Amino acid sequence: MVDHPATLEDLVARAKERTPIRVAVVAADQGLVLETVQEAVALGLIVPRLVGDPDAILDCAASSNVEIDRAAIISAKSDPDMARAGVDLVRNGDADAVMKGHIHTDAFMRALLDTDRGLRLPGRRVSHVFMVDIPAYPKLLAITDAAINIMPDLNAKAQILENAIALFTLLGIETPKAAVLSAVETVNPAIASTLDAACLALMAKRGQIAGAIVDGPMAFDNAISAVAAREKGIVSEVSGDVDILLVPDLVSGNILTKNLEYLAGATAAGVVMGLATPVVLSSRADPPAARLAALALAVLMHQSALPRSQQLQRGESESAIHCAAQPEAACCPMGA
């Protein structure tokens, strides 16, 4: 059993002990992107494949004082072509992960989610997980889904939760504790998220959702603080020791993550789950520490996952702060 990482720096330290992975950086013509790539290379985390307009990438590297290998540049001009090129690098076995650079999120996600030529896996929902480093909390806190699934129903929430649990499993963390959030801690038929939360908690107890201790509905304070839970008479293994916060919808999750980042000094590193390869969905507003930690997550995920050929053939699965909001059809499981 691996100790739960306390900070994003812990993820980077773990990733440094692994073999570097090849990362397709889509639309790499941005100073902050190239600086992050340079640092990740220096730390031994990645071998970059810089996708984009070669002249723009070279000009950006020169103005940012970043040394790059011209041989690492894959030429593509338009957003759709760059996204397609990044996906093709993965599909052809020339990249192990994908990172969003200076490209519109819609174009980036459209190529990833293409049912014929993208990175979708049969039977897997696509969702996003933020690993949030909060000074006031003793370990990294996962928040899902604050970026992709807009208004998930009960079935979707179960799959989103399973993806988050799978991330913790890939990181070597056994039996994480998950709180299904709502506005209150009691079941209220007038608040649909409390019904979903109660169902998810029961599903976990009965083994329909495996690998985690799940409780809900829980208000944010009861999930984070054992004192708050005790004052309200809540007896829970999750309160005060939560690892995963499953939010009711994208809007509430995005607001929560931004609130923690801008008012509580938190840093959030996010990855996309449910695809054939780790995907770093960085935002223009993300600080370097968040981008680097997200790449470290991608390293740890890749090194711990099934070979991609097995993932693509396995069939039915066992069951930002930006947004890449996607319609339900783009996120839900594909048929085998």
Side-chain angles (χ1 to χ4, degrees), residues 256-282:
L256 171 60
T257 309
K258 285 181 177 177
N259 190 338
L260 292 171
E261 185 180 44
Y262 285 92
L263 295 180
T267 304
V271 290
V272 178
M273 301 292 296
L275 295 172
T277 196
V279 174
V280 176
L281 193 63
S282 51

Side-chain angles (χ1 to χ4, degrees), residues 35-50:
E35 290 166 12
T36 302
V37 167
Q38 180 174 253
E39 185 174 2
V41 170
L43 291 172
L45 300 181
I46 69 169
V47 177
R49 303 286 188 265
L50 305 176

Side-chain angles (χ1 to χ4, degrees), residues 177-181 213-216 218 223 238 242-247:
K177 298 178 180 180
V180 187
L181 296 185
I213 299 170
V214 182
D215 202 357
M218 300 192 81
V238 172
V242 65
D243 300 300
I244 300 169
L245 297 178
L246 179 66
V247 296

